Every structure is written in structure tokens, then in C-alpha cells.
Amino acid sequence: MSDVRDLIIRGSEKVIRHYRLLLAGARTDDERELYRSRIEREQRLLDALQGGDLLDRSAA
């Protein structure tokens, strides 16, 4: 289970890096807000995964 979890964590970190690149090149306020919200959402999921919250929920 740890290997799968590590893979998901690395994937989530990659998604965040990608959105940060998109944010840096955003041309409008709407684009910037979209990318910021997606970064925040992905970061919350990553934090929950690293804390074990998502695994606890799926086991229930």
C-alpha cells in the first residue's frame, strides 16, 4: 500500500508543479484565479494523503 501511496503523492506534487507553471504564464485574472484554486485543491488533497486521512476514510 505504501508504494501506491508514494506514487499518488509524487503524482500530486507533479500536478501542483504543472499548475504553478501555468500560473506563472497566466494572462488574465480569471486564469490566475483558476490555477490558484486548483493548486489549493490539490494541496489539500496532498496534505490529507500525507497525513493518512484519505487512507483512513477508504478503509472505513
Side-chain angles (χ1 to χ4, degrees):
M1 182 69 112
S2 179
D3 291 338
V4 172
R5 183 176 174 206
D6 291 343
L7 179 67
I8 294 169
I9 287 171
R10 284 193 310 273
S12 190
E13 291 168 341
K14 184 176 179 180
V15 168
I16 291 170
R17 285 192 305 272
H18 179 72
Y19 280 132
R20 286 185 177 147
L21 287 173
L22 292 172
L23 178 60
R27 297 178 184 200
T28 66
D29 287 338
D30 287 340
E31 275 185 292
R32 283 186 281 279
E33 183 55 38
L34 174 68
Y35 298 138
R36 281 187 196 109
S37 69
R38 289 183 179 180
I39 290 167
E40 290 171 7
R41 181 187 68 203
E42 193 69 32
Q43 187 63 54
R44 283 192 306 271
L45 292 170
L46 179 60
D47 292 344
L49 182 61
Q50 288 174 330
D53 293 346
L54 293 179
L55 294 178
D56 293 343
R57 282 189 222 155
S58 65

